[in-house]
Amino acid sequence: MKAAILPAQDSPLETHDDVELAEPGPGEVRVKVVASGVCHSDLSVQNGTIPLPTPIVLGHEGAGIVEAVGEGVTKVAVGDHVVLSFVPACGECYTCKHGQPFLCEQSNSSATGGMLDGTTRLSRGGAPLFQMAALGTYGEYAIVPEISMVKIPDDVPLHVAALIGCGVLTGVGAALNTAEIQEGDSVAVIGCGGVGLNVIQGAKIAGASRIIAVDRFDSKLEMAREFGATDTVNAGDTDAVIEIMGLTEGRGADVVFEVIGLGPTIEQAINATRKGGEVVLVGVPRMDVMVNLNAAFTWLYLAKTIKGCWYGSSNVYEDVPKLLDLWKQGSLKLEELISKEITVDEVNEAFADMQAGTVARSVIRHAHAD
Ligand code: APR
Ligand code: ZN
Ligand code: ZN
């Protein structure tokens, strides 16, 4: 099959059509990947922000059709349409049983670049290939744990469903699950990429009356308005914290989201939050990023709450159907997130577009020549 492979950190991706798949093992499923979003976290593996072994098939935001099931698979059957989840959720471990399936203990294995047992099902020329998040949606097919997918109705277009797998669950989940946005709240979102735009539409659904979008590209700020932002701040031109203060009568916003993953913007998010307010950290920083906070004035006198948000604090089995309902009702924009449809051969250009700020999301449609 054909797949886009990252051969080594800091190298361009290479597309090859001689990638081999093993049969799905017990509890595993072969999925024909129909579409995959190109997310910043894929780029973060390329540049080392998210360290994973190479060579690796990237891609963790996808949807497809179940083609074959391994021994003991009960959650899905051949022919089912599925959204892939970049965090497996077993429902049985300590964190799953404590209402935090987005931290499922089975997901620890994702750091190995393999399946749940740490081994990989992909190879090329006899050498193993790793797969991002036990998925690897830049391949036409993927062997995936059965606990890494959610069945969806057949009438949902799969290129639209793909985006739910990361950007939508993460962004909308940050607003609806992680944060406690009250009707009429002021919200600021720092970073308006594929994930940040979803935080904005989630904040709108949660009833925020003022949504301040912050980005360094005017193109992103225009998209932010379409997704529900009421005010925009170009962080390249001005001090984002002062601007947010100015838009909130000097108090700071009730809830501020950081959706980039940089130390300085994390500090901005904390400083732009009002006293007693809430900060939600969504962006994935490099492993060595530290933040400098004044203990007395962050936590004590100003009583701010800082929450980490992994995968939108989602329960994928409940949240994927919920998001699809919102989309069907017209409250959630999905098609509008897709700026470009591309082939897997064009993935390097999609990375460049993401960095240039010209797209919300590029979506790969696999051609399945074989
Ligand atoms: N100030 C303001 N905006 C910035 C800055 C900055 N210093 N640096 C980057 N941005 C903006 C970019 O212009 C872009 O619009 O942040 C946005 C990031 O968007 P994408 O590159 O599309 O990334 P996305 O896929 O949304 O992911 C955002 O969430 O899931 C994580 O790993 C992912 O950390 C990443 C974050
Ligand atoms: Zn679990
Ligand atoms: Zn992602």
Side-chain angles (χ1 to χ4, degrees), residues 225-238:
R225 281 201 184 268
E226 282 163 33
F227 281 79
T230 56
D231 301 85
T232 56
V233 173
N234 188 317
D237 304 339
T238 47

Side-chain angles (χ1 to χ4, degrees), residues 38-239:
V38 176
C39 170
H40 203 105
S41 294
D42 300 310
L43 177 67
S44 293
V45 178
Q46 185 188 46
N47 67 26
T49 299
I50 299 175
L52 283 175
T54 53
I56 185 167
V57 177
L58 297 182
H60 62 283
E61 183 179 86
I65 302 168
V66 172
E67 257 214 352
V69 298
E71 195 190 311
V73 167
T74 56
K75 288 188 191 304
V76 291
V78 172
D80 282 354
H81 288 206
V82 291
V83 167
L84 298 172
S85 165
F86 77 78
V87 176
C90 74
E92 286 158 20
C93 71
Y94 186 88
T95 38
C96 278
K97 284 203 163 140
H98 283 75
Q100 295 170 315
F102 54 91
L103 296 173
C104 175
E105 287 169 10
Q106 296 279 2
S107 67
N108 299 348
S109 61
S110 290
T112 65
M115 295 288 282
L116 302 184
D117 63 2
T119 64
T120 168
R121 304 288 170 272
L122 303 177
S123 61
R124 181 165 175 261
L129 278 176
F130 296 100
Q131 54 187 110
M132 183 174 181
L135 301 177
T137 55
Y138 291 180
E140 291 175 317
Y141 298 86
I143 307 287
V144 176
E146 70 165 321
I147 57 173
S148 297
M149 63 188 71
V150 182
K151 182 174 162 26
I152 57 166
D154 290 357
D155 61 355
V156 181
L158 287 164
H159 66 291
V160 170
L163 299 182
I164 293 177
C166 175
V168 182
L169 275 165
T170 301
V172 178
L176 296 184
N177 300 332
T178 319
E180 285 170 39
I181 297 173
Q182 311 291 321
E183 191 81 32
D185 268 359
S186 57
V187 165
V189 180
I190 304 179
C192 304
V195 182
L197 292 173
N198 280 298
V199 176
I200 290 170
Q201 60 174 341
K204 186 178 172 187
I205 293 166
S209 60
R210 180 151 228 174
I211 303 175
I212 305 163
V214 181
D215 203 282
R216 58 188 173 149
F217 289 119
D218 286 332
S219 53
K220 290 301 176 76
L221 296 173
E222 276 165 37
M223 294 179 204
R225 281 201 184 268
E226 282 163 33
F227 281 79
T230 56
D231 301 85
T232 56
V233 173
N234 188 317
D237 304 339
T238 47
D239 182 319

Side-chain angles (χ1 to χ4, degrees), residues 328-347:
K328 280 197 175 144
Q329 291 160 21
S331 315
L332 190 73
K333 294 184 196 296
L334 293 180
E335 292 90 338
E336 294 83 348
L337 287 164
I338 305 174
S339 312
K340 253 189 187 176
E341 291 194 18
I342 61 167
T343 67
V344 72
D345 299 293
E346 295 168 311
V347 69

